[in-house]
Amino acid sequence: MTEEQVEQPIPNENEITTETEVEVAKPAEEKRYLTYAVKVDPDEDDRAVEIKMCSAARPHMRAFHFAWLGFFMAFCIWFAIAPLLPQIKKTLGLTKQEVWASNIISVSGTIVLRFILGPICDKYGARIPLGVLLICGAIPTACLGLVNTRNGFYVLRFFIGLSGGAFVMCSSWTSAMFCKKVVGTANGIAAGWGNLGGGVTILFMGAVLFPLFEMGMSPEMAWRTVCLVPAFIAACVGALIIKFSDDCPKGDYAEMKKLGNFKAPGAKASIWRGAKNYNTWLMFIQYGCCFGVELTMDNAATLYYYNEFGLSTEKAALVGSIFGFMNIFSRGLGGYLSDVVKRKFGMKGRLWLQFSFLIIEGCLIIGFVHAKNLGVSIFVFTIFSLFAEMLCGTSFGIAPYINPKATGSVTGIIGAGGNVGAVCFGLVFRAMDTYWAFIIMGCVVIFAAFTVLFMYIPGFGGVFCEGSKATAERMDKLGVSTATNINLEESLKPTITFN
């Protein structure tokens, strides 16, 4: 549908857009779509106030599904090597320290990239960077079979690990498409389903594809060729994202710039806006203790069960995949619970939930390493993964409120915290006995919980105090914060549907 085909009606700014009618705050504003398949808030640049899971309509739901699918494929190529490590270790003659060094390298490269990708998303949108990153990440993944030395393996894991920066685009994209009342749920589900790629690839590569390839060739040739499959799929998904989706509800940033409807922030200004807020850095620490733990377990779980319980590569990969598979609902559940407590208790509810989940996660990590029975270990492992991943969802129920004018930069910094956490924990596992490494990781997570107590978001409050509605409204007008318009709060209640 084009503007020549449809005469745009005069909108009422207090109404909500449906599939058959259009309401915009500024009738003269040009945009790509005159109607939407979801209800939107015109005061938040036509961001959606509902999530229709079974819809792939452009722009909102198409972006939602491509966001999680792109992050999913990034995880698939990022951790395709993890279930193959026992075989790679034998072929290349790697020690335990060298294996952990490769794990650290695989997550370290993304740290700087996430800082860079944040302002890139603010300026150019998330769509093209996500597609390009997947295509580029597929190349070193396909080259795994060419590795013959330890250093070559390190270099390859570094470049494959850059694909982990896809998280920044995933979160920035959903934040651009969904209003603040539902963004926690949208971010949680999209990032959770993306993280699910870690569990799927560990199971699929270790327990399905590797044995299948091994039937017709040697184990060494099997691990050298099996990564061609996820590499090819990731490149195809990247191309589809670039071609068949939109940067934001009103179209692509490039078109909007030409029409004068979008003023891109400078990269330096965007980075400074996100970095100067101390809440960003407290969230940086907290995210390192949930997503950082998840990355560590994605690398460590298969080897842990292989070494501690004597399971085969296939069975150890099957158990290790549980952590990733929990993302099918756990991260989205965390975002949903964060939205629920926000409506009842305000920002204080979001922060108390964050604090509680961090304490529980830390205790479960310590409990996990003390479980010496396989059944008990798997049970604790499952509950531990649930809280670690729900924390990722609650984290990005808070993040959009920190500085919405620099959402990409804030997301990039906080997201980098996850990788920094993974690097730090990886160094602990590399240097220490497995038992003490888990004990230290659990204690660090519990310590991180207390950083929540120091958070205060102007207009919304903190753990021990509530924000002022008047201040939040005033900040909205100044563009400093993105409190949902107080007067529309009841009429724009978020919904999740499957129609």
Side-chain angles (χ1 to χ4, degrees):
M1 182 178 293
T2 66
E3 293 190 36
E4 288 77 19
Q5 293 172 317
V6 177
E7 181 179 353
Q8 184 172 340
I10 298 175
N12 183 334
E13 64 180 7
N14 293 321
E15 295 178 351
I16 305 300
T17 302
T18 67
E19 294 182 3
T20 58
E21 58 188 3
V22 179
E23 296 80 12
V24 292
K26 298 179 181 179
E29 184 180 22
E30 294 185 62
K31 56 185 181 179
R32 176 175 291 180
Y33 300 99
L34 299 181
T35 62
Y36 299 115
V38 295
K39 294 178 181 179
V40 304
D41 181 356
D43 288 341
E44 287 198 43
D45 292 325
D46 289 355
R47 286 179 171 87
V49 299
E50 63 178 351
I51 304 172
K52 290 189 175 182
M53 291 295 189
C54 294
S55 171
R58 298 176 73 165
H60 303 87
M61 295 313 301
R62 179 73 60 84
F64 173 82
H65 288 300
F66 267 145
W68 75 257
L69 181 59
F71 191 31
F72 179 95
M73 288 312 306
F75 248 87
C76 284
I77 58 178
W78 195 4
F79 289 99
I81 290 175
L84 308 175
L85 281 174
Q87 296 298 327
I88 296 173
K89 181 181 177 183
K90 290 180 182 178
T91 302
L92 301 183
L94 303 178
T95 64
K96 173 196 169 185
Q97 287 73 23
E98 289 170 340
V99 170
W100 270 105
S102 77
N103 290 337
I104 293 167
I105 289 169
S106 74
V107 298
S108 62
T110 315
I111 295 173
V112 176
L113 188 62
R114 288 191 176 197
F115 280 100
I116 297 171
L117 287 172
I120 286 177
C121 288
D122 286 336
K123 190 168 185 177
Y124 300 105
R127 174 180 60 94
I128 294 177
L130 179 56
V132 170
L133 190 66
L134 286 176
I135 294 171
C136 292
I139 297 172
T141 305
C143 294
L144 176 65
L146 304 178
V147 170
N148 291 303
T149 65
R150 177 195 62 190
N151 291 338
F153 186 54
Y154 287 169
V155 171
L156 201 70
R157 291 212 75 181
F158 174 84
F159 284 106
I160 293 174
L162 296 178
S163 60
F167 167 75
V168 178
M169 282 79 85
C170 175
S171 185
S172 295
W173 209 358
T174 50
S175 294
M177 289 291 179
F178 295 91
C179 76
K180 296 300 175 290
K181 292 286 285 184
V182 73
V183 72
T185 304
N187 277 345
I189 294 174
W193 288 0
N195 282 8
L196 179 63
V200 170
T201 195
I202 290 172
L203 176 63
F204 192 62
M205 296 291 287
V208 179
L209 270 186
F210 177 73
L212 187 63
F213 275 55
E214 199 177 17
M215 291 173 62
M217 58 188 72
S218 67
E220 179 180 346
M221 185 57 65
W223 73 255
R224 287 184 180 279
T225 56
V226 72
C227 281
L228 291 171
V229 177
F232 174 75
I233 298 174
C236 292
V237 170
L240 292 173
I241 287 173
I242 294 173
K243 180 68 176 177
F244 298 107
S245 57
D246 310 279
D247 293 332
C248 67
K250 296 179 181 179
D252 294 338
Y253 283 4
E255 294 177 358
M256 294 170 64
K257 289 174 188 175
K258 290 179 181 179
L259 296 172
N261 294 333
F262 175 75
K263 184 178 180 181
K268 291 183 179 179
S270 178
I271 293 174
W272 176 242
R273 281 176 175 172
K276 70 180 181 180
N277 193 316
Y278 79 97
N279 291 302
T280 303
W281 296 102
L282 293 179
M283 291 291 298
F284 176 94
I285 296 170
Q286 294 160 32
Y287 199 63
C289 291
C290 53
F291 188 60
V293 169
E294 181 177 352
L295 293 178
T296 302
M297 295 307 297
D298 281 338
N299 278 317
T302 299
L303 279 173
Y304 178 79
Y305 281 101
Y306 182 84
N307 294 326
E308 296 296 325
F309 293 96
L311 300 183
S312 66
T313 299
E314 292 81 4
K315 290 181 179 179
L318 182 63
V319 176
S321 68
I322 291 174
F323 208 103
F325 266 104
M326 292 296 289
N327 276 298
I328 197 169
F329 71 91
S330 57
R331 187 159 183 161
L333 178 61
Y336 174 75
L337 292 175
S338 184
D339 286 340
V340 169
V341 296
K342 165 65 169 61
R343 292 196 292 273
K344 189 171 180 64
F345 302 106
M347 183 57 65
K348 181 187 292 186
R350 288 193 193 269
L351 296 175
W352 272 117
L353 192 68
Q354 182 88 346
F355 174 82
S356 302
F357 282 3
L358 280 166
I359 293 290
I360 295 171
E361 182 201 3
C363 293
L364 286 169
I365 292 172
I366 296 173
F368 168 70
V369 75
H370 283 96
K372 299 305 179 183
N373 176 274
L374 179 60
V376 174
S377 176
I378 293 174
F379 174 77
V380 178
F381 182 61
T382 303
I383 305 302
F384 156 35
S385 66
L386 172 65
F387 277 91
E389 289 156 10
M390 284 198 299
L391 261 166
C392 294
T394 59
S395 295
F396 281 90
I398 299 168
Y401 290 87
I402 293 176
N403 193 321
K405 290 296 182 180
T407 301
S409 293
V410 171
T411 298
I413 293 171
I414 295 174
N419 288 75
V420 171
V423 169
C424 293
F425 293 137
L427 289 171
V428 172
F429 274 86
R430 182 177 183 273
M432 303 188 68
D433 177 74
T434 301
Y435 172 83
W436 285 108
F438 274 109
I439 295 296
I440 290 173
M441 186 163 70
C443 291
V444 170
V445 172
I446 292 173
F447 169 79
F450 292 92
T451 64
V452 180
L453 304 182
F454 295 94
M455 293 185 69
Y456 178 84
I457 300 177
F460 299 96
V463 170
F464 300 110
C465 55
E466 296 181 358
S468 164
K469 288 186 177 181
T471 302
E473 287 180 320
R474 185 167 62 255
M475 292 172 70
D476 258 346
K477 294 177 181 178
L478 294 173
V480 177
S481 186
T482 53
T484 301
N485 191 297
I486 305 299
N487 297 325
L488 296 178
E489 187 164 333
E490 292 301 316
S491 63
L492 298 178
K493 287 186 176 180
T495 59
I496 305 175
T497 62
F498 291 88
N499 55 358

PDB file of all heavy atoms in Angstrom, residues 388-419:
ATOM      1  N   ALA A 388      18.696 -17.157  36.279  1.00  0.00           N
ATOM      2  CA  ALA A 388      19.718 -16.389  35.562  1.00  0.00           C
ATOM      3  C   ALA A 388      19.114 -15.725  34.331  1.00  0.00           C
ATOM      4  O   ALA A 388      19.415 -14.564  34.009  1.00  0.00           O
ATOM      5  CB  ALA A 388      20.873 -17.307  35.164  1.00  0.00           C
ATOM      6  N   GLU A 389      18.250 -16.449  33.625  1.00  0.00           N
ATOM      7  CA  GLU A 389      17.669 -15.917  32.389  1.00  0.00           C
ATOM      8  C   GLU A 389      16.511 -14.959  32.664  1.00  0.00           C
ATOM      9  O   GLU A 389      16.308 -13.999  31.913  1.00  0.00           O
ATOM     10  CB  GLU A 389      17.240 -17.078  31.499  1.00  0.00           C
ATOM     11  CG  GLU A 389      18.458 -17.812  30.933  1.00  0.00           C
ATOM     12  CD  GLU A 389      18.177 -19.247  30.533  1.00  0.00           C
ATOM     13  OE1 GLU A 389      16.986 -19.630  30.506  1.00  0.00           O
ATOM     14  OE2 GLU A 389      19.135 -19.990  30.248  1.00  0.00           O
ATOM     15  N   MET A 390      15.739 -15.204  33.727  1.00  0.00           N
ATOM     16  CA  MET A 390      14.700 -14.231  34.084  1.00  0.00           C
ATOM     17  C   MET A 390      15.336 -12.897  34.436  1.00  0.00           C
ATOM     18  O   MET A 390      14.770 -11.838  34.160  1.00  0.00           O
ATOM     19  CB  MET A 390      13.855 -14.746  35.255  1.00  0.00           C
ATOM     20  CG  MET A 390      12.846 -15.810  34.874  1.00  0.00           C
ATOM     21  SD  MET A 390      11.522 -16.038  36.106  1.00  0.00           S
ATOM     22  CE  MET A 390      12.465 -16.543  37.534  1.00  0.00           C
ATOM     23  N   LEU A 391      16.516 -12.941  35.041  1.00  0.00           N
ATOM     24  CA  LEU A 391      17.237 -11.714  35.380  1.00  0.00           C
ATOM     25  C   LEU A 391      17.598 -10.911  34.135  1.00  0.00           C
ATOM     26  O   LEU A 391      17.570  -9.677  34.151  1.00  0.00           O
ATOM     27  CB  LEU A 391      18.512 -12.059  36.148  1.00  0.00           C
ATOM     28  CG  LEU A 391      18.434 -11.921  37.666  1.00  0.00           C
ATOM     29  CD1 LEU A 391      19.615 -12.597  38.325  1.00  0.00           C
ATOM     30  CD2 LEU A 391      18.357 -10.457  38.064  1.00  0.00           C
ATOM     31  N   CYS A 392      17.934 -11.605  33.057  1.00  0.00           N
ATOM     32  CA  CYS A 392      18.212 -10.890  31.805  1.00  0.00           C
ATOM     33  C   CYS A 392      16.971 -10.136  31.352  1.00  0.00           C
ATOM     34  O   CYS A 392      17.063  -9.013  30.845  1.00  0.00           O
ATOM     35  CB  CYS A 392      18.661 -11.881  30.723  1.00  0.00           C
ATOM     36  SG  CYS A 392      20.235 -12.691  31.060  1.00  0.00           S
ATOM     37  N   GLY A 393      15.798 -10.756  31.531  1.00  0.00           N
ATOM     38  CA  GLY A 393      14.539 -10.101  31.168  1.00  0.00           C
ATOM     39  C   GLY A 393      14.216  -8.923  32.061  1.00  0.00           C
ATOM     40  O   GLY A 393      13.804  -7.861  31.583  1.00  0.00           O
ATOM     41  N   THR A 394      14.402  -9.068  33.374  1.00  0.00           N
ATOM     42  CA  THR A 394      14.114  -7.961  34.287  1.00  0.00           C
ATOM     43  C   THR A 394      15.093  -6.805  34.064  1.00  0.00           C
ATOM     44  O   THR A 394      14.735  -5.639  34.221  1.00  0.00           O
ATOM     45  CB  THR A 394      14.188  -8.417  35.757  1.00  0.00           C
ATOM     46  OG1 THR A 394      15.491  -8.942  36.036  1.00  0.00           O
ATOM     47  CG2 THR A 394      13.158  -9.505  36.052  1.00  0.00           C
ATOM     48  N   SER A 395      16.331  -7.131  33.669  1.00  0.00           N
ATOM     49  CA  SER A 395      17.335  -6.084  33.419  1.00  0.00           C
ATOM     50  C   SER A 395      16.879  -5.155  32.304  1.00  0.00           C
ATOM     51  O   SER A 395      17.010  -3.925  32.401  1.00  0.00           O
ATOM     52  CB  SER A 395      18.683  -6.714  33.052  1.00  0.00           C
ATOM     53  OG  SER A 395      19.220  -7.441  34.129  1.00  0.00           O
ATOM     54  N   PHE A 396      16.321  -5.738  31.239  1.00  0.00           N
ATOM     55  CA  PHE A 396      15.900  -4.900  30.122  1.00  0.00           C
ATOM     56  C   PHE A 396      14.440  -4.481  30.216  1.00  0.00           C
ATOM     57  O   PHE A 396      13.883  -3.925  29.271  1.00  0.00           O
ATOM     58  CB  PHE A 396      16.243  -5.583  28.792  1.00  0.00           C
ATOM     59  CG  PHE A 396      17.693  -5.414  28.476  1.00  0.00           C
ATOM     60  CD1 PHE A 396      18.625  -6.344  28.902  1.00  0.00           C
ATOM     61  CD2 PHE A 396      18.145  -4.285  27.827  1.00  0.00           C
ATOM     62  CE1 PHE A 396      19.971  -6.166  28.665  1.00  0.00           C
ATOM     63  CE2 PHE A 396      19.496  -4.088  27.583  1.00  0.00           C
ATOM     64  CZ  PHE A 396      20.409  -5.036  28.003  1.00  0.00           C
ATOM     65  N   GLY A 397      13.843  -4.723  31.392  1.00  0.00           N
ATOM     66  CA  GLY A 397      12.615  -4.039  31.749  1.00  0.00           C
ATOM     67  C   GLY A 397      12.948  -2.696  32.386  1.00  0.00           C
ATOM     68  O   GLY A 397      12.142  -1.765  32.388  1.00  0.00           O
ATOM     69  N   ILE A 398      14.159  -2.577  32.919  1.00  0.00           N
ATOM     70  CA  ILE A 398      14.645  -1.345  33.560  1.00  0.00           C
ATOM     71  C   ILE A 398      15.410  -0.469  32.567  1.00  0.00           C
ATOM     72  O   ILE A 398      15.263   0.760  32.553  1.00  0.00           O
ATOM     73  CB  ILE A 398      15.556  -1.695  34.755  1.00  0.00           C
ATOM     74  CG1 ILE A 398      14.797  -2.503  35.806  1.00  0.00           C
ATOM     75  CG2 ILE A 398      16.146  -0.430  35.378  1.00  0.00           C
ATOM     76  CD1 ILE A 398      15.684  -3.119  36.874  1.00  0.00           C
ATOM     77  N   ALA A 399      16.241  -1.085  31.724  1.00  0.00           N
ATOM     78  CA  ALA A 399      17.169  -0.350  30.862  1.00  0.00           C
ATOM     79  C   ALA A 399      16.544   0.750  30.004  1.00  0.00           C
ATOM     80  O   ALA A 399      17.124   1.832  29.881  1.00  0.00           O
ATOM     81  CB  ALA A 399      17.923  -1.344  29.967  1.00  0.00           C
ATOM     82  N   PRO A 400      15.359   0.545  29.379  1.00  0.00           N
ATOM     83  CA  PRO A 400      14.809   1.601  28.514  1.00  0.00           C
ATOM     84  C   PRO A 400      14.480   2.902  29.240  1.00  0.00           C
ATOM     85  O   PRO A 400      14.312   3.942  28.598  1.00  0.00           O
ATOM     86  CB  PRO A 400      13.532   0.954  27.947  1.00  0.00           C
ATOM     87  CG  PRO A 400      13.779  -0.506  28.025  1.00  0.00           C
ATOM     88  CD  PRO A 400      14.558  -0.693  29.290  1.00  0.00           C
ATOM     89  N   TYR A 401      14.384   2.862  30.566  1.00  0.00           N
ATOM     90  CA  TYR A 401      14.053   4.062  31.328  1.00  0.00           C
ATOM     91  C   TYR A 401      15.286   4.912  31.662  1.00  0.00           C
ATOM     92  O   TYR A 401      15.157   6.049  32.085  1.00  0.00           O
ATOM     93  CB  TYR A 401      13.360   3.677  32.646  1.00  0.00           C
ATOM     94  CG  TYR A 401      11.973   3.130  32.460  1.00  0.00           C
ATOM     95  CD1 TYR A 401      11.762   1.777  32.232  1.00  0.00           C
ATOM     96  CD2 TYR A 401      10.858   3.957  32.502  1.00  0.00           C
ATOM     97  CE1 TYR A 401      10.481   1.262  32.060  1.00  0.00           C
ATOM     98  CE2 TYR A 401       9.582   3.464  32.334  1.00  0.00           C
ATOM     99  CZ  TYR A 401       9.403   2.111  32.106  1.00  0.00           C
ATOM    100  OH  TYR A 401       8.136   1.609  31.931  1.00  0.00           O
ATOM    101  N   ILE A 402      16.468   4.353  31.500  1.00  0.00           N
ATOM    102  CA  ILE A 402      17.683   5.046  31.938  1.00  0.00           C
ATOM    103  C   ILE A 402      17.943   6.297  31.112  1.00  0.00           C
ATOM    104  O   ILE A 402      18.134   7.384  31.645  1.00  0.00           O
ATOM    105  CB  ILE A 402      18.887   4.090  31.907  1.00  0.00           C
ATOM    106  CG1 ILE A 402      18.697   2.999  32.979  1.00  0.00           C
ATOM    107  CG2 ILE A 402      20.185   4.851  32.150  1.00  0.00           C
ATOM    108  CD1 ILE A 402      19.779   1.946  32.984  1.00  0.00           C
ATOM    109  N   ASN A 403      17.970   6.160  29.799  1.00  0.00           N
ATOM    110  CA  ASN A 403      18.073   7.319  28.903  1.00  0.00           C
ATOM    111  C   ASN A 403      17.578   6.917  27.526  1.00  0.00           C
ATOM    112  O   ASN A 403      18.349   6.442  26.698  1.00  0.00           O
ATOM    113  CB  ASN A 403      19.508   7.850  28.805  1.00  0.00           C
ATOM    114  CG  ASN A 403      19.554   9.231  28.144  1.00  0.00           C
ATOM    115  OD1 ASN A 403      18.818   9.495  27.198  1.00  0.00           O
ATOM    116  ND2 ASN A 403      20.399  10.103  28.650  1.00  0.00           N
ATOM    117  N   PRO A 404      16.279   7.104  27.251  1.00  0.00           N
ATOM    118  CA  PRO A 404      15.679   6.659  25.994  1.00  0.00           C
ATOM    119  C   PRO A 404      16.198   7.370  24.759  1.00  0.00           C
ATOM    120  O   PRO A 404      16.074   6.881  23.653  1.00  0.00           O
ATOM    121  CB  PRO A 404      14.192   6.934  26.191  1.00  0.00           C
ATOM    122  CG  PRO A 404      14.138   7.989  27.221  1.00  0.00           C
ATOM    123  CD  PRO A 404      15.298   7.734  28.128  1.00  0.00           C
ATOM    124  N   LYS A 405      16.802   8.570  24.939  1.00  0.00           N
ATOM    125  CA  LYS A 405      17.368   9.274  23.798  1.00  0.00           C
ATOM    126  C   LYS A 405      18.669   8.611  23.345  1.00  0.00           C
ATOM    127  O   LYS A 405      19.204   8.934  22.293  1.00  0.00           O
ATOM    128  CB  LYS A 405      17.639  10.739  24.164  1.00  0.00           C
ATOM    129  CG  LYS A 405      16.373  11.563  24.356  1.00  0.00           C
ATOM    130  CD  LYS A 405      15.585  11.672  23.061  1.00  0.00           C
ATOM    131  CE  LYS A 405      14.349  12.537  23.246  1.00  0.00           C
ATOM    132  NZ  LYS A 405      13.559  12.649  21.999  1.00  0.00           N
ATOM    133  N   ALA A 406      19.175   7.698  24.156  1.00  0.00           N
ATOM    134  CA  ALA A 406      20.391   6.966  23.804  1.00  0.00           C
ATOM    135  C   ALA A 406      20.188   5.490  24.137  1.00  0.00           C
ATOM    136  O   ALA A 406      21.042   4.846  24.742  1.00  0.00           O
ATOM    137  CB  ALA A 406      21.581   7.527  24.560  1.00  0.00           C
ATOM    138  N   THR A 407      19.032   4.951  23.740  1.00  0.00           N
ATOM    139  CA  THR A 407      18.702   3.560  24.062  1.00  0.00           C
ATOM    140  C   THR A 407      19.758   2.596  23.543  1.00  0.00           C
ATOM    141  O   THR A 407      20.151   1.649  24.222  1.00  0.00           O
ATOM    142  CB  THR A 407      17.329   3.179  23.472  1.00  0.00           C
ATOM    143  OG1 THR A 407      16.339   4.052  24.013  1.00  0.00           O
ATOM    144  CG2 THR A 407      16.970   1.749  23.820  1.00  0.00           C
ATOM    145  N   GLY A 408      20.229   2.841  22.309  1.00  0.00           N
ATOM    146  CA  GLY A 408      21.236   1.955  21.734  1.00  0.00           C
ATOM    147  C   GLY A 408      22.516   1.944  22.541  1.00  0.00           C
ATOM    148  O   GLY A 408      23.101   0.886  22.803  1.00  0.00           O
ATOM    149  N   SER A 409      22.973   3.135  22.952  1.00  0.00           N
ATOM    150  CA  SER A 409      24.210   3.221  23.731  1.00  0.00           C
ATOM    151  C   SER A 409      24.059   2.580  25.102  1.00  0.00           C
ATOM    152  O   SER A 409      24.954   1.864  25.564  1.00  0.00           O
ATOM    153  CB  SER A 409      24.633   4.684  23.883  1.00  0.00           C
ATOM    154  OG  SER A 409      24.997   5.223  22.640  1.00  0.00           O
ATOM    155  N   VAL A 410      22.932   2.841  25.758  1.00  0.00           N
ATOM    156  CA  VAL A 410      22.674   2.222  27.060  1.00  0.00           C
ATOM    157  C   VAL A 410      22.637   0.705  26.913  1.00  0.00           C
ATOM    158  O   VAL A 410      23.246  -0.036  27.702  1.00  0.00           O
ATOM    159  CB  VAL A 410      21.353   2.746  27.664  1.00  0.00           C
ATOM    160  CG1 VAL A 410      20.985   1.940  28.910  1.00  0.00           C
ATOM    161  CG2 VAL A 410      21.473   4.221  28.016  1.00  0.00           C
ATOM    162  N   THR A 411      21.926   0.235  25.885  1.00  0.00           N
ATOM    163  CA  THR A 411      21.839  -1.201  25.633  1.00  0.00           C
ATOM    164  C   THR A 411      23.213  -1.785  25.353  1.00  0.00           C
ATOM    165  O   THR A 411      23.558  -2.864  25.845  1.00  0.00           O
ATOM    166  CB  THR A 411      20.914  -1.470  24.431  1.00  0.00           C
ATOM    167  OG1 THR A 411      19.600  -0.997  24.731  1.00  0.00           O
ATOM    168  CG2 THR A 411      20.839  -2.957  24.121  1.00  0.00           C
ATOM    169  N   GLY A 412      24.019  -1.071  24.554  1.00  0.00           N
ATOM    170  CA  GLY A 412      25.353  -1.560  24.226  1.00  0.00           C
ATOM    171  C   GLY A 412      26.248  -1.677  25.442  1.00  0.00           C
ATOM    172  O   GLY A 412      26.966  -2.672  25.607  1.00  0.00           O
ATOM    173  N   ILE A 413      26.197  -0.667  26.309  1.00  0.00           N
ATOM    174  CA  ILE A 413      27.042  -0.691  27.509  1.00  0.00           C
ATOM    175  C   ILE A 413      26.616  -1.806  28.449  1.00  0.00           C
ATOM    176  O   ILE A 413      27.443  -2.585  28.942  1.00  0.00           O
ATOM    177  CB  ILE A 413      26.995   0.672  28.229  1.00  0.00           C
ATOM    178  CG1 ILE A 413      27.657   1.750  27.365  1.00  0.00           C
ATOM    179  CG2 ILE A 413      27.701   0.585  29.588  1.00  0.00           C
ATOM    180  CD1 ILE A 413      27.467   3.165  27.895  1.00  0.00           C
ATOM    181  N   ILE A 414      25.308  -1.894  28.704  1.00  0.00           N
ATOM    182  CA  ILE A 414      24.815  -2.946  29.596  1.00  0.00           C
ATOM    183  C   ILE A 414      25.088  -4.316  28.995  1.00  0.00           C
ATOM    184  O   ILE A 414      25.523  -5.244  29.685  1.00  0.00           O
ATOM    185  CB  ILE A 414      23.310  -2.759  29.861  1.00  0.00           C
ATOM    186  CG1 ILE A 414      23.069  -1.452  30.620  1.00  0.00           C
ATOM    187  CG2 ILE A 414      22.754  -3.944  30.658  1.00  0.00           C
ATOM    188  CD1 ILE A 414      21.599  -1.109  30.803  1.00  0.00           C
ATOM    189  N   GLY A 415      24.841  -4.446  27.685  1.00  0.00           N
ATOM    190  CA  GLY A 415      25.105  -5.719  27.021  1.00  0.00           C
ATOM    191  C   GLY A 415      26.568  -6.114  27.099  1.00  0.00           C
ATOM    192  O   GLY A 415      26.904  -7.291  27.274  1.00  0.00           O
ATOM    193  N   ALA A 416      27.465  -5.120  26.981  1.00  0.00           N
ATOM    194  CA  ALA A 416      28.893  -5.405  27.106  1.00  0.00           C
ATOM    195  C   ALA A 416      29.225  -5.932  28.498  1.00  0.00           C
ATOM    196  O   ALA A 416      30.166  -6.724  28.671  1.00  0.00           O
ATOM    197  CB  ALA A 416      29.704  -4.144  26.816  1.00  0.00           C
ATOM    198  N   GLY A 417      28.436  -5.504  29.484  1.00  0.00           N
ATOM    199  CA  GLY A 417      28.639  -6.011  30.834  1.00  0.00           C
ATOM    200  C   GLY A 417      28.486  -7.519  30.908  1.00  0.00           C
ATOM    201  O   GLY A 417      29.194  -8.186  31.681  1.00  0.00           O
ATOM    202  N   GLY A 418      27.568  -8.062  30.116  1.00  0.00           N
ATOM    203  CA  GLY A 418      27.407  -9.511  30.075  1.00  0.00           C
ATOM    204  C   GLY A 418      28.664 -10.204  29.602  1.00  0.00           C
ATOM    205  O   GLY A 418      29.094 -11.224  30.169  1.00  0.00           O
ATOM    206  N   ASN A 419      29.296  -9.644  28.580  1.00  0.00           N
ATOM    207  CA  ASN A 419      30.525 -10.242  28.068  1.00  0.00           C
ATOM    208  C   ASN A 419      31.697 -10.050  29.018  1.00  0.00           C
ATOM    209  O   ASN A 419      32.540 -10.936  29.152  1.00  0.00           O
ATOM    210  CB  ASN A 419      30.856  -9.634  26.698  1.00  0.00           C
ATOM    211  CG  ASN A 419      29.905 -10.115  25.628  1.00  0.00           C
ATOM    212  OD1 ASN A 419      28.752  -9.679  25.580  1.00  0.00           O
ATOM    213  ND2 ASN A 419      30.357 -11.012  24.785  1.00  0.00           N
TER     214      ASN A 419
END
